[in-house]
Amino acid sequence: MSRLASRLSALATAKRKALVPFITAGDPGRDATVPVLHALVEAGADLIELGVPFSDPMADGVVIQKSSERALARGVNAPAIFAMVAEFRQRDADTPIVLMGYLNPIERRGWAWYAEHAAAAGADALLIVDLPPEESDAARALLNRHGLQLITLLAPTTDGPRLADACTQAQGYLYYVSMAGVTGKDLAQSGDLTQRVGAIRAAAAVPVYVGFGIKDATTAKACAEYADGVIVGSALVASLAECTTPQQAADAAGRFLAPLRQALDAA
C-alpha cells in the first residue's frame, strides 16, 4: 500500500477529518520550507500540498501569486523542490506530500524526468491545476508507473460526464473547489455547497476535501460537517510571509494550524 493510500485508510478507520495545509515551496525562504513542513505535521497535518512556484498561477489569488514570485526570485525550481522533499523524508517517512502546481514546469523538464525525480525524492502525488481531464489519462498512467498518483480538481461548474469520469477515475482524494474564482476569497457556506459535496461523496470511491476559502478554525469546522477534510492555503501562506528565519516560519506555521486541528477533532 502506498504512503498516501495508507494515510487515507487510517483516516477513514479513525473517522478523522483530514487537515491538508498548502505552502509554497521556497517561501518565506528556501531554508524555511523543510522546518515548516515538520511544524505542520507536529501541529496536526495529515498530508501536505507543497506548491510548485510558477510565474502565471491563474487559479491563485494575490497571496499565493506573490509567494510564487518570491520563491522564483530565490531560484526555486524543480530540482530544488525535490531536494526539499528528500530532506523532509530523512525525518518523516509517513506524511504524504502532494506536489501542487501547473503544467508548464512539468512540460519544460519532460513528464518522464519529472515523475522519476519526484518519486525518487519521496513525493506521493501530483495535483496539476491546468491539466484538462480529457488529457489526463496518459499523465495518470505515467505517474502511476512511478508510484505517484494524480489528484483531481473539481469545480462548482463540473457536471455531467466530466463529473462522472472524475469520480470514477479519482485517485487519492478529490479536491473540491468551493467557489468559482481564485484562492484567497471568503468562503460562502450554503445549502447548495453542502448538497453538492454530499452528492460527490456518494458517487466517488475516494474522500472529498474542500479547499478555497478555508481561513481559520471556524471555516474549517463548518466544512468538516459535510466534507471528508479541508485544505487551507492562502491564509497559511499569508501568515508565513513576514517571517525572516526558518524558526520563525516554523513557529508561525504551528500556531496557525493547531487551532484548525483542534476544531476538526471537535467537529
Side-chain angles (χ1 to χ4, degrees), residues 62-107:
V62 173
V63 169
I64 294 179
Q65 287 178 22
K66 289 188 177 297
S67 72
S68 283
E69 290 174 3
R70 291 190 295 266
L72 290 171
R74 297 184 183 105
V76 175
N77 56 14
I81 294 169
F82 298 153
M84 293 171 187
V85 175
E87 183 181 347
F88 173 73
R89 285 283 170 246
Q90 293 176 13
R91 282 180 46 197
D92 190 319
D94 300 318
T95 304
I97 295 289
V98 178
L99 299 178
M100 181 174 182
Y102 295 84
L103 273 170
N104 185 277
I106 300 173
E107 296 281 0

Side-chain angles (χ1 to χ4, degrees), residues 20-79:
V20 185
F22 167 98
I23 63 168
T24 300
D27 190 65
R30 290 180 63 143
D31 57 352
T33 298
V34 174
V36 166
L37 292 174
H38 287 304
L40 292 171
V41 174
E42 291 168 6
D46 294 298
L47 52 140
I48 298 172
E49 291 182 351
L50 184 60
V52 178
F54 178 51
S55 57
D56 187 22
M58 72 283 290
D60 293 301
V62 173
V63 169
I64 294 179
Q65 287 178 22
K66 289 188 177 297
S67 72
S68 283
E69 290 174 3
R70 291 190 295 266
L72 290 171
R74 297 184 183 105
V76 175
N77 56 14

Side-chain angles (χ1 to χ4, degrees), residues 154-165:
L154 290 178
T157 53
T158 307
D159 58 12
R162 263 195 169 190
L163 178 58
D165 288 346

Side-chain angles (χ1 to χ4, degrees), residues 17 178 187 189 193 210 214 218-230 264:
K17 299 293 184 177
S178 67
L187 177 67
Q189 298 284 357
L193 181 58
V210 172
I214 311 299
T218 300
T219 50
K221 185 176 181 179
C223 281
E225 293 180 2
Y226 54 84
D228 296 300
V230 299
L264 292 185

